[in-house]
Amino acid sequence: MGRFYITTPIYYANDAPHVGTAYTTVNADAMARWHRLIGDETKFLTGTDEHGQKVADAAAKHDMSPKEWTDQKSAQFRRAWDVLNISYDDFIRTTEPRHYESVQKFLTAIYDNGHIYKDVYKGLYCVSCEDYYTTESSVEGRCPIHASVLVEMEEENWFFRLSAFEERLTSFYNDHPNFVTPPTKRNEAFSFIQGGLRDISITRTSISWGVPVPWDANHVFYVWYDALINYLTAIGYGRDADEVATWWPWSHHLVGKEIIRFHCVWWPAMCMAAGLEPPAHVQVHGWLLLGGQKLSKTMAASGSVRLTDIAPIDLTNEFGVDPLRYYLLRETALGNDGDFSHEGITQRYNTDLANNLGNLVARVTTLVVSKCGGVAPRPRDNSPLRPGAELALRTAADAWNDFSPQSALEATWGLIGATNAYLELHAPWKMEQGDELNAVLGDALEAIRLVALLATPAMPEVCEAIWQRIGLSATPGEQLFAVSATWGQYPGGSIIVKGEPLFPRMKTAE
């Protein structure tokens, strides 16, 4: 048992929750739930990023103050995460007083250490990114991410001396080969460092909606540098040194690949400049790419639909919360780009959930009710299912610990498949009441118990329902994995509840 501090990026308050942000947040939530399951003291942080010119402009467009606007947008994210059963321990907003305090103390430490200086910046600026680009990094004068025309700006700024940390960052990467995962993303960040680092602007005079610079009243901190510090704000930076020491060495940032340089280059350098160790680990994930016939029809009808237009709440209304969570975790390996489609969710739902897991639970509970009077038999110590179950436990646990939810669920579904095959082989529905029937059903019940334990980070409500159906009082999420993940602990004698189908089949798109 140890500690685990997991963070999502804080989501920009001009956006609404969408499938992309849900993908990140569900993955972080599953990792937090796993670490609680194995007994780690766990802290899970998410929140909203609420400063910057884009927010101020949007608020004015809607005849609202920036604070009124961000109050509204932040509440949308809270509602979406509540619907998706996100178990965050802290939801941070960058407009909170605690964040202002941490930002000012952190950047003042960098200033006092001689790593911040004043100069004039002239360059190309993307309002959507809230970031500057060089001519070389632009695409014919357009933002490489948003394709919007870049605006040439010139203003007096305070700069962070990033160039001074090129050698230290190189040494840090060499000494910490797993600082960034997967390796392809680590190589990308390292190549950026090796290509040479330029000092970066960290303040603005052209806007007022931001954290004030304590040593220069005419400036506010640029939104990106304010935002990155949220990971320290939430653990008491500038207020409680003991809390920082408790959590920071076990910090894990889960971020999308579009913000690698901020989290994997600028942020560790900023920490070094402030006299703090960089975070322990950055896990980078890929993008979900929109696909599928049904979504394409929607696009044709509306003119243009992007992944960011798809609200996760709409999908939960159609498929349910846990099936959507399962799809986001199972379909794509964390780190790779993946395809998102309505057909993909439907197929996973009907195949993995309805046909495999749902059918297994229904088969076994129905047989126990009809042939054993609803009283569950015990599993055998020497069950033929035991070796495969123990392999699934080891493989899934290793995968969860390695930020690989897809592999963990693949191993779990391997046990489901083996158990269904075991039932097909022995055909307990043809057996009379007796020792052989009890042995087969007891073994299957134990496999179901272990499946629910392994899948609970992904589908907490479904797994709780499964445990209740097989007569267990506590929930899987309340268990300690090291104690519960051993073959043979299903007690027998429990009263089985058949219940309604866990996953009624969905109609496929025509």
Side-chain angles (χ1 to χ4, degrees):
M1 291 186 288
R3 291 195 182 97
F4 183 75
Y5 176 34
I6 180 77
T7 71
T8 70
I10 49 175
Y11 302 114
Y12 203 54
N14 254 26
D15 296 328
H18 54 75
V19 170
T21 52
Y23 174 69
T24 309
T25 310
V26 167
N27 270 280
D29 181 70
M31 296 309 307
R33 288 178 182 273
W34 168 253
H35 280 271
R36 295 187 193 112
L37 189 65
I38 63 174
D40 285 345
E41 188 179 358
T42 300
K43 187 177 184 69
F44 172 23
L45 174 69
T46 189
T48 44
D49 179 7
E50 303 183 8
H51 290 127
Q53 186 64 53
K54 192 163 56 171
V55 166
D57 290 347
K61 183 178 179 180
H62 289 84
D63 295 321
M64 301 171 75
S65 71
K67 186 62 167 61
E68 290 171 334
W69 175 251
T70 55
D71 284 348
Q72 180 186 93
K73 302 300 281 186
S74 181
Q76 289 181 8
F77 280 94
R78 283 183 178 269
R79 285 195 297 272
W81 301 160
D82 287 347
V83 168
L84 284 172
N85 199 10
I86 303 301
S87 62
Y88 58 82
D89 298 293
D90 193 353
F91 187 102
I92 192 166
R93 299 180 57 187
T94 56
T95 50
E96 295 178 54
R98 61 170 174 162
H99 185 61
Y100 275 55
E101 181 181 2
S102 291
V103 168
Q104 290 178 330
K105 288 184 177 179
F106 182 84
L107 289 168
T108 296
I110 298 176
Y111 177 77
D112 289 344
N113 289 337
H115 300 302
I116 292 176
Y117 65 93
K118 184 182 282 189
D119 204 344
V120 174
Y121 189 92
K122 182 177 181 179
L124 300 174
Y125 184 74
C126 173
V127 175
S128 295
C129 290
E130 304 256 17
D131 193 17
Y132 283 113
Y133 287 91
T134 63
T135 301
E136 295 77 16
S137 64
S138 69
V139 180
E140 297 179 348
R142 292 181 176 271
C143 171
I145 295 176
H146 296 95
S148 54
V149 176
L150 297 171
V151 179
E152 187 167 313
M153 292 184 64
E154 181 176 353
E155 66 175 342
E156 181 185 74
N157 292 166
W158 287 94
F159 284 74
F160 170 53
R161 209 180 300 274
L162 179 64
S163 60
F165 291 87
E166 187 173 320
E167 186 174 325
R168 285 186 63 181
L169 285 169
T170 298
S171 297
F172 180 80
Y173 267 77
N174 288 333
D175 293 342
H176 301 83
N178 295 318
F179 169 58
V180 178
T181 54
T184 53
K185 301 302 187 284
R186 183 260 184 203
N187 293 341
E188 182 178 335
F190 192 64
S191 295
F192 186 84
I193 296 167
Q194 295 302 103
L197 299 178
R198 299 181 181 182
D199 296 347
I200 45 181
S201 162
I202 65 169
T203 70
R204 297 288 182 271
T205 56
S206 55
I207 62 173
S208 59
W209 182 239
V211 179
V213 174
W215 63 83
D216 190 335
N218 294 321
H219 290 247
V220 298
F221 289 116
Y222 162 50
V223 61
W224 260 107
Y225 299 94
D226 146 23
L228 286 164
I229 299 164
N230 89 90
Y231 307 126
L232 289 171
T233 299
I235 54 172
Y237 183 88
R239 303 181 307 278
D240 189 338
D242 289 341
E243 187 180 5
V244 175
T246 295
W247 290 108
W248 193 238
W250 291 271
S251 53
H252 301 262
H253 301 325
L254 177 61
V255 302
K257 68 179 185 179
E258 73 279 7
I259 50 178
I260 283 181
R261 61 186 169 130
F262 297 104
H263 284 83
C264 304
V265 181
W266 298 357
W267 180 226
M270 290 167 64
C271 289
M272 291 173 180
L276 189 71
E277 284 295 307
H281 173 228
V282 181
Q283 172 68 43
V284 181
H285 68 72
W287 289 339
L288 293 185
L289 307 175
L290 187 62
Q293 182 181 7
K294 185 166 183 177
L295 291 177
S296 295
K297 289 178 181 178
T298 304
M299 292 170 70
S302 63
S304 177
V305 171
R306 302 162 298 172
L307 194 78
T308 52
D309 296 320
I310 303 171
I313 291 177
D314 293 340
L315 294 171
T316 63
N317 290 337
E318 183 173 2
F319 294 96
V321 172
D322 278 0
L324 176 59
R325 288 173 59 101
Y326 174 79
Y327 173 78
L328 293 174
L329 294 165
R330 178 70 193 276
E331 187 71 10
T332 304
L334 196 62
N336 296 344
D337 288 345
D339 182 70
F340 174 89
S341 70
H342 189 277
E343 292 87 349
I345 305 177
T346 304
Q347 183 177 12
R348 284 286 181 193
Y349 182 99
N350 284 335
T351 302
D352 294 8
L353 300 180
N355 291 356
N356 295 337
L357 176 57
N359 186 48
L360 173 61
V361 174
R363 267 178 161 182
V364 174
T365 54
T366 298
L367 285 169
V368 174
V369 169
S370 64
K371 290 182 174 287
C372 305
V375 180
R378 284 182 54 82
R380 292 173 291 178
D381 288 341
N382 62 345
S383 167
L385 283 176
R386 180 171 182 169
E390 290 177 341
L391 176 62
L393 287 166
R394 292 193 301 271
T395 304
D398 288 345
W400 280 119
N401 287 328
D402 198 34
F403 279 79
S404 300
Q406 184 194 51
S407 297
L409 293 171
E410 183 178 358
T412 304
W413 257 251
L415 177 55
I416 293 171
T419 308
N420 273 321
Y422 178 71
L423 293 174
E424 290 292 333
L425 176 66
H426 292 281
W429 43 88
K430 297 180 181 179
M431 294 179 179
E432 298 297 328
Q433 173 60 41
D435 291 345
E436 186 180 3
L437 175 69
N438 289 339
V440 171
L441 293 179
D443 292 348
L445 285 166
E446 173 65 338
I448 290 171
R449 182 186 73 87
L450 294 174
V451 163
L453 185 68
L454 288 173
T456 198
M459 301 193 299
E461 292 183 346
V462 164
C463 292
E464 181 177 345
I466 290 172
W467 269 41
Q468 290 173 351
R469 291 189 184 199
I470 64 174
L472 299 175
S473 56
T475 68
E478 294 172 343
Q479 305 306 297
L480 188 60
F481 187 81
V483 175
S484 300
T486 305
W487 180 271
Q489 292 193 40
Y490 184 73
S494 300
I495 302 302
I496 298 297
V497 178
K498 180 180 175 182
E500 296 296 319
L502 287 170
F503 307 102
R505 284 187 60 83
M506 309 261 324
K507 292 182 179 180
T508 57
E510 297 179 359

